[in-house]
Amino acid sequence: MIMHSTSLFTNPYAIEVLRTKKEELAEGINDPDHLLNWLIDNGIFTPEKKMVVNFYRTRTEKNSRVLDILISQGERACRLFFYPCLKQVEPKLYSKMRKYVSEVNKSIGDARRQLVGYLLEKDKVWFENSSERHQEKKDSPRRKKQEWAIKKKGKEIQLSRAAKPRKDHADVGVFDAVAKGCLSELEKTLKDNDVHALNSSSETLLHVAAANGHLMIMEYLISKGAKIDVKDEKGRTPLHRAAEKGHGEAVKVLLQRGASMYSLDTEGKTPLHLAAQNNHSHTLKVLLKEEVRSNGNQHNFLHMAAVKDESSLAKMLLKAGASADGEDERGWTALSYAVSRGSENTAKVLLEAGAHVDSNTAERAFNSNHPSIFKTLLEYSKDLSSDIMESALFRAVQKNLPGIVAALIDRGTDINAYNEMQYTPLLLACETGKAESAEVLIEKGANFGIKTPASDTALHLAVQAGAASTANLLLCKGMEVNLMNKANETPLHVAARHNRGAVAGLLVNAGAKINAVTKELVTPLHVASQRGHTDVAQQLLHHKADVNIKEKQSKSPLHFAAERGDKIMVEMLLNANADPNAQDKEKKTPLHTAAARGHLGIVKVLLAKKGRFGAKDMDGCTPMHYAAMKGSTEIVKTLLTSGKNKNIDDRNIWRKTALHIAAEYGHSDLINLLLSSGAAINALDSSKDTPLHCACKAGHFNAANSLVNWSQGEKANLLAANSLKKTPLQVAEFNKTENQAQIVTLLKKKMFITK
């Protein structure tokens, strides 16, 4: 059975639908602002609610908050949210909700839950009314007076939201009686419908009674059904009028009857604004007292004043007893809003009234788009703790706000305070390259002697950041240029590591030791060569850095450049007279290193600069041995050409030739190149293994195939016995490898053991 009541088409399941589908609705509503306008126009929300909702930053947060408020407001609000509001703003989402409700009804077959008709589409009068109002907004600057009707139990009941003004003599008499405060005359002249009558300014009788402060008249009118929050043509309610005229007792009566304190007139003013505007301090106190009683930790008048930067209103509110540190449901104080919105004038008023500045407020000041607001906090606050000031100093450095850095120091903040990373503000400014803030700190006397936990000085950090102006200022102020960190690196090492060419020149000119060494005996030139930082290398070589200096493993800068395959760096070092045949601790030359890494271009450059192709390291390996290991056919070809094939059979300490190595690593193309260049096919190593033994032992079929099928000149000796008296075939049979069967078959065919 459908239950009708004074609230249209009451249905207790609307809230349930909203709760169940809350997450989907929060995600699906694309335009919360448009929806809020509809909710306001349908009398579900007040404009103040919209203001509160707008404090939420993301779309889904806004939507979620709107849904929570609707649920808290009850069934009617939830129902009207669906229809007409959601249907008008998000028709697709509304259709999904209808489908869901329809499916629920079908699945449970409960007549009481026939929601489609009643929850989502029966409030035609509301939808039509809303549509008309939206249309009127477009058609006319002033909303037209409207009448709307609903049918109840088959009869038509007229419900006038804003009845048309009546101009008969009885009405004039009624308004006169109210204005004069004559209750007996009012009782005689008031007719049934007169309680809703409007005068030429769209004021009701209650507006007039409130404006004149006639309490008994007000009580009488309310008892006769006068609407509390009806608005006149200026959007003012009876509470606006009572507050405007300073009738504190009238204000109390209206508040006790549920009048909205936060109702806005057409100028966006609440009753409290009008009381303040007209200096009615008593009325102001009444409103504030009611706010404290009814609101708890809700967004209040002082918060609103802070948002709009209404400093004079804030001053009056504080004088009337408003709490400077009252928090709303987000835990925000009025000062929080003033700071985040950049409301400097209101912030000053709040601070002068003793508003507390905590770390969150300071953080908001930095995160706002109004950096000068923090200066206001500094200038006007009375109780900034040293912790907050020190934290603020580090934030000011991070954001590079030199004015605030200076103001904090002038206020007494410890210029050499430590943060959680054990950095001082100066160290932080230098590391992050905040030159202007660093300059202020240096000029204000920051301690240069303090180092980071890794013993980096401010100069190390400024150099790392490439902050030449800061580095120069530190040096001009007398900072030692050759101080070392824990790794014994000087600022010049740091410049080399980060390729800060301009800063490197600055350091050298200031007396930096160009060949300073770390614990590993690494110089700045080593660092630049190893990392390929040609800008710094150029600066260092220009200032006569030792090009052949060796680090702990006896590697020169050229070794590092060759290892990287950095042709530009190699050429730069060679042009500065780097020794192409310098040996490291393992007696490897840069040519060994380049060949081992497969850097053909570097091999060519080094050979052109008299690099020795036949140089042997401590294992007796030549560059060709390493190229053979890598399978670098082109490098081997280049080395052979350079040595005119004379060193083709050079042996290492295990008596292995390049051909042994190529066979061991399975490089068949290289085997063919070496053989065609005259390599000894049956050369014996220290175990009397031939290259064929090596290929068979490692299981490289292609390598073995190339060797046994070589027919130009000496052929591979298939019967050669090694020091264990094993032939290549026996070695192949003994060593289990992936290609064992193929190699054994190949050798047996060649030896005519099998067909």
Side-chain angles (χ1 to χ4, degrees):
M1 183 177 173
I2 302 164
M3 299 297 292
H4 291 293
S5 75
T6 51
S7 76
L8 298 176
F9 304 99
T10 298
N11 191 305
Y13 300 104
I15 295 176
E16 189 179 320
V17 173
L18 202 149
R19 280 183 179 141
T20 307
K21 306 299 282 182
K22 181 183 170 189
E23 193 173 322
E24 195 173 327
L25 287 163
E27 280 297 329
I29 296 166
N30 294 307
D31 192 347
D33 290 332
H34 190 188
L35 180 63
L36 279 164
N37 289 336
W38 269 81
L39 290 167
I40 290 165
D41 287 332
N42 280 285
I44 306 166
F45 272 19
T46 61
E48 295 72 39
K49 279 282 194 296
K50 182 179 179 182
M51 191 186 299
V52 172
V53 169
N54 281 336
F55 284 118
Y56 291 85
R57 292 189 179 180
T58 67
R59 178 180 63 83
T60 50
E61 279 177 347
K62 273 188 183 181
N63 291 336
S64 186
R65 181 65 178 134
V66 167
L67 299 173
D68 285 340
I69 295 170
L70 284 163
I71 290 168
S72 72
Q73 287 187 196
E75 140 64 24
R76 180 173 170 277
C78 294
R79 179 166 37 75
L80 293 174
F81 158 74
F82 283 112
Y83 192 97
C85 301
L86 190 66
K87 180 169 185 179
Q88 186 64 22
V89 178
E90 305 283 355
K92 287 184 181 176
L93 185 60
Y94 168 78
S95 297
K96 284 179 73 177
M97 293 300 110
R98 278 196 64 200
K99 186 167 182 275
Y100 160 72
V101 172
S102 193
E103 287 167 356
V104 170
N105 291 338
K106 191 173 179 182
S107 66
I108 63 175
D110 185 344
R112 289 172 303 161
R113 294 194 180 221
Q114 296 301 306
L115 303 184
V116 177
Y118 309 116
L119 169 62
L120 303 180
E121 281 204 9
K122 281 293 182 182
D123 285 343
K124 293 291 183 188
V125 64
W126 279 90
F127 180 65
E128 286 156 12
N129 195 34
S130 302
S131 299
E132 284 169 25
R133 281 202 302 280
H134 277 272
Q135 190 59 40
E136 282 165 15
K137 278 184 184 176
K138 296 175 187 174
D139 297 344
S140 167
R142 183 186 297 180
R143 296 189 185 183
K144 296 175 184 176
K145 308 295 182 290
Q146 298 176 20
E147 290 187 354
W148 51 276
I150 62 163
K151 288 184 180 179
K152 183 180 178 186
K153 295 182 181 178
K155 293 179 183 179
E156 202 171 78
I157 298 173
Q158 297 297 323
L159 296 179
S160 174
R161 297 191 73 198
K164 292 180 181 177
R166 291 172 52 192
K167 296 183 180 177
D168 56 52
H169 295 294
D171 274 351
V172 174
V174 169
F175 278 97
D176 283 345
V178 169
K180 288 188 288 186
C182 186
L183 181 57
S184 58
E185 189 179 333
L186 177 62
E187 288 173 334
K188 288 176 190 173
T189 53
L190 188 70
K191 296 175 183 175
D192 286 347
N193 288 331
D194 282 346
V195 77
H196 300 301
L198 303 178
N199 65 14
S200 59
S201 299
S202 295
E203 292 178 313
T204 64
L205 295 171
L206 190 56
H207 279 94
V208 176
N212 287 281
H214 298 321
L215 304 185
M216 291 179 69
I217 302 284
M218 289 168 63
E219 294 281 11
Y220 176 73
L221 289 169
I222 292 167
S223 72
K224 289 291 183 182
K227 296 287 192 329
I228 297 290
D229 285 325
V230 176
K231 294 188 175 186
D232 64 13
E233 65 180 15
K234 292 184 179 178
R236 296 184 178 182
T237 63
L239 186 59
H240 277 95
R241 301 291 282 122
E244 180 184 23
K245 297 295 185 180
H247 298 307
E249 295 305 312
V251 166
K252 282 182 187 176
V253 168
L254 290 164
L255 290 172
Q256 286 164 5
R257 298 291 184 163
S260 170
M261 284 187 294
Y262 301 112
S263 182
L264 298 178
D265 65 13
T266 54
E267 293 180 2
K269 292 178 179 176
T270 64
L272 181 130
H273 280 92
L274 300 185
Q277 195 172 290
N278 292 286
N279 293 307
H280 299 312
S281 56
H282 171 68
T283 306
L284 208 60
K285 286 178 182 175
V286 170
L287 287 161
L288 281 176
K289 192 173 180 181
E290 174 59 18
E291 182 177 64
V292 171
R293 187 196 68 75
S294 62
N295 266 16
N297 66 337
Q298 297 300 303
H299 196 73
N300 62 34
F301 286 121
L302 192 58
H303 291 106
M304 292 176 194
V307 169
K308 294 183 177 180
D309 203 13
E310 295 172 328
S311 56
S312 56
L313 175 60
K315 196 176 287 186
M316 291 183 76
L317 290 168
L318 291 163
K319 193 174 178 182
S323 168
D325 292 320
E327 295 181 350
D328 65 7
E329 64 269 24
R330 297 173 74 189
W332 282 41
T333 63
L335 185 59
S336 304
Y337 286 110
V339 161
S340 62
R341 293 300 181 97
S343 302
E344 286 190 44
N345 294 326
T346 306
K348 289 174 188 175
V349 168
L350 291 162
L351 290 165
E352 285 174 333
H356 177 60
V357 180
D358 60 13
S359 55
N360 288 333
T361 308
E363 185 70 14
R364 286 187 190 108
F366 281 112
N367 291 335
S368 75
N369 296 320
H370 312 278
S372 60
I373 197 78
F374 194 84
K375 276 192 179 178
T376 304
L377 288 185
L378 274 180
E379 192 176 341
Y380 290 89
S381 63
K382 297 171 183 176
D383 63 345
L384 276 177
S385 70
S386 59
D387 284 351
I388 287 176
M389 291 206 294
E390 286 172 12
S391 172
L393 182 54
F394 284 102
R395 285 306 309 274
V397 167
Q398 280 176 324
K399 286 188 167 278
N400 201 24
L401 302 170
I404 292 176
V405 170
L408 280 161
I409 294 165
D410 291 343
R411 172 117 188 213
T413 310
D414 182 0
I415 196 171
N416 298 312
Y418 288 91
N419 66 6
E420 66 280 359
M421 303 294 292
Q422 295 303 298
Y423 273 50
T424 64
L426 179 59
L427 291 172
L428 180 64
C430 290
E431 183 174 82
T432 54
K434 303 301 190 299
E436 294 83 2
S437 292
E439 190 171 329
V440 168
L441 291 160
I442 293 165
E443 296 294 351
K444 294 276 184 187
N447 185 347
F448 296 164
I450 300 173
K451 297 182 176 184
T452 69
S455 289
D456 284 312
T457 65
L459 187 57
H460 282 91
L461 299 177
V463 168
Q464 180 177 315
S469 61
T470 306
N472 189 45
L473 186 58
L474 287 165
L475 292 167
C476 289
K477 290 286 181 179
M479 189 159 197
E480 167 55 42
V481 70
N482 290 308
L483 289 170
M484 292 184 170
N485 60 18
K486 277 185 179 174
N488 281 16
E489 292 175 323
T490 65
L492 192 56
H493 282 96
V494 174
R497 188 166 69 245
H498 295 277
N499 202 26
R500 307 297 186 196
V503 186
L506 181 74
L507 293 168
V508 173
N509 289 330
K513 293 176 183 173
I514 201 154
N515 296 315
V517 295
T518 66
K519 290 177 180 176
E520 302 298 318
L521 304 182
V522 171
T523 66
L525 187 57
H526 280 107
V527 175
S529 301
Q530 190 173 25
R531 290 174 178 263
H533 291 159
T534 49
D535 287 354
V536 176
Q538 208 158 23
Q539 283 283 344
L540 294 167
L541 292 170
H542 175 73
H543 288 94
K544 310 299 180 195
D546 187 344
V547 74
N548 289 310
I549 196 165
K550 294 186 175 184
E551 43 84 87
K552 208 169 185 178
Q553 300 303 317
S554 291
K555 289 184 178 181
S556 69
L558 188 58
H559 278 94
F560 287 121
E563 192 174 346
R564 281 190 83 252
D566 189 336
K567 191 176 179 186
I568 293 173
M569 184 70 78
V570 166
E571 288 174 340
M572 190 187 294
L573 293 167
L574 288 169
N575 289 338
N577 297 319
D579 181 2
N581 296 305
Q583 293 182 320
D584 64 12
K585 271 197 170 176
E586 295 179 352
K587 292 192 174 180
K588 286 185 173 66
T589 66
L591 195 54
H592 281 96
T593 306
R597 294 297 177 102
H599 298 315
L600 175 62
I602 306 301
V603 168
K604 287 180 176 178
V605 170
L606 289 166
L607 288 170
K609 286 284 185 175
K610 305 282 173 41
R612 294 205 311 273
F613 54 82
K616 291 192 173 186
D617 65 8
M618 64 192 302
D619 294 322
C621 292
T622 64
M624 196 185 301
H625 281 94
Y626 288 105
M629 202 180 295
K630 185 81 175 171
S632 302
T633 308
E634 289 302 315
I635 291 179
V636 169
K637 195 183 289 183
T638 301
L639 290 166
L640 286 171
T641 303
S642 182
K644 298 177 182 175
N645 292 7
K646 288 178 184 174
N647 298 83
I648 196 166
D649 290 324
D650 278 358
R651 297 167 184 269
N652 62 17
I653 58 170
W654 298 283
R655 308 260 321 137
K656 289 186 186 292
T657 64
L659 188 59
H660 280 98
I661 303 288
E664 253 175 43
Y665 283 86
H667 300 310
S668 53
D669 288 348
L670 186 52
I671 288 170
N672 291 329
L673 170 68
L674 288 165
L675 289 172
S676 62
S677 299
I681 195 167
N682 292 311
L684 301 179
D685 66 11
S686 56
S687 300
K688 291 192 176 180
D689 281 327
T690 64
L692 185 56
H693 280 95
C694 294
C696 292
K697 191 182 292 183
H700 296 305
F701 173 77
N702 288 336
N705 193 40
S706 292
L707 288 163
V708 298
N709 285 314
W710 179 252
S711 58
Q712 299 169 28
E714 189 180 356
K715 293 182 180 180
N717 183 356
L718 302 178
L719 299 173
N722 63 15
S723 57
L724 296 175
K725 303 193 182 312
K726 291 188 184 291
T727 64
L729 176 60
Q730 290 169 321
V731 167
E733 288 173 329
F734 181 76
N735 287 283
K736 302 287 182 192
T737 63
E738 190 182 340
N739 299 315
Q740 182 186 30
Q742 279 181 286
I743 294 170
V744 168
T745 302
L746 171 72
L747 292 171
K748 282 183 176 179
K749 279 184 179 178
K750 282 290 174 184
M751 295 172 74
F752 303 107
I753 295 172
T754 58
K755 291 184 180 179

